[in-house]
Amino acid sequence: MRSGIVSGLLMATLAGQATAAPASRDPTSEAKAWLRLVDQGRYADSWTRGGSLFRDSATAAEWARKVGVTRIPMGKLISRQAGADQRSTTLPGLPDGHYSTIRFSTIFAHKQAAIETVILAQEPGGWKVDGYFLR
């Protein structure tokens, strides 16, 4: 059920524009920085740093509630290992663009084998996180 909550956010959270937060030219670095915000419970900051469609899909409060329901039960982050940066110009149901999908093998205090998938889109200001899955 938890993965369904976050998975449902993907279709409503792809694409966007740069925000006041510095954008990275490297999608893996940007994904890690964004995940650190989520790890710290800084959900409003992660919402602000996301793309415009991500922000348009839910208010900061709605995003905080949805991600909190999924992440808080996992407990503290123990470790996270980034997998390959898979680039594509198309994703199902989305406009053509430049996308990066990065899967992280993650260990939390209460979940020893989690997979976090972060979708980023290339935007005028750099790579922005536009989707997040946790399973």
Side-chain angles (χ1 to χ4, degrees):
M1 178 65 180
R2 286 186 196 121
S3 65
I5 292 168
V6 176
S7 297
L9 295 174
L10 177 64
M11 292 312 292
T13 59
L14 287 159
Q17 300 174 356
T19 64
S24 171
R25 293 179 187 248
D26 171 26
T28 301
S29 295
E30 181 61 23
K32 288 178 179 180
W34 187 86
L35 285 167
R36 276 192 300 275
L37 294 173
V38 175
D39 294 337
Q40 295 166 359
R42 295 173 55 194
Y43 305 138
D45 291 337
S46 69
W47 179 86
T48 298
R49 193 165 176 150
S52 65
L53 189 52
F54 181 89
R55 293 185 317 269
D56 289 346
S57 70
T59 66
E62 290 167 337
W63 164 246
R65 182 183 52 77
K66 289 175 185 178
V67 74
V69 165
T70 302
R71 285 298 301 274
I72 290 170
M74 298 293 166
K76 182 179 177 181
L77 172 71
I78 304 299
S79 70
R80 177 181 285 130
Q81 181 69 36
D85 173 359
Q86 298 177 323
R87 305 281 179 107
S88 62
T89 55
T90 61
L91 288 175
L94 300 173
D96 290 349
H98 296 279
Y99 298 100
S100 171
T101 302
I102 304 167
R103 286 181 180 81
F104 293 86
S105 296
T106 307
I107 298 173
F108 294 105
H110 304 297
K111 175 102 171 138
Q112 296 297 305
I115 301 295
E116 293 176 292
T117 302
V118 180
I119 308 288
L120 301 98
Q122 178 86 56
E123 299 179 7
W127 290 97
K128 302 301 289 182
V129 172
D130 292 317
Y132 175 68
F133 294 94
L134 174 61
R135 63 176 177 93

